[in-house]
Amino acid sequence: MAVDPPRDIDRVIAAAVDGSVHIPVHTLHDRIHEIPDGQVWAHCGSGSGLRAAVAASHLDAAGRDVGAVDDPFTGAERAGLVVRTR
């Protein structure tokens, strides 16, 4: 499961890893129940990795098995993931 934490406006103009769930980081606390059990990866394609790190911190505090991906979408594509662009 991948969590995509950018704000709504960022999501509209960017891309997303196929199969990811878009939950803006400022709503994650209230929506964490929407994320299925199991390993979770937080990714934000903005390049800074800040929102992914914040999302991963929230998920870790909730006891989830989480990793933060600090890499642009080109890295996801090189890893074999399907990236949808807008």
Side-chain angles (χ1 to χ4, degrees):
M1 160 62 60
V3 174
D4 181 26
R7 299 167 299 166
D8 289 334
I9 189 65
D10 295 329
R11 173 101 172 178
V12 169
I13 61 174
V17 173
D18 195 36
S20 65
V21 174
H22 173 58
I23 300 178
V25 70
H26 65 278
T27 67
L28 183 58
H29 179 74
D30 294 329
R31 295 180 59 192
I32 202 163
H33 65 278
E34 296 177 30
I35 302 169
D37 291 337
Q39 189 174 46
V40 179
W41 292 92
H43 177 262
C44 180
S46 68
S48 74
L50 177 63
R51 286 186 290 256
V54 171
S57 178
H58 280 292
L59 291 161
D60 183 62
R64 302 302 299 271
D65 179 12
V66 64
V69 179
D70 183 13
D71 201 14
F73 285 108
T74 54
E77 290 172 322
R78 284 193 306 273
L81 298 172
V82 176
V83 175
R84 296 184 315 266
T85 56
R86 306 278 181 255

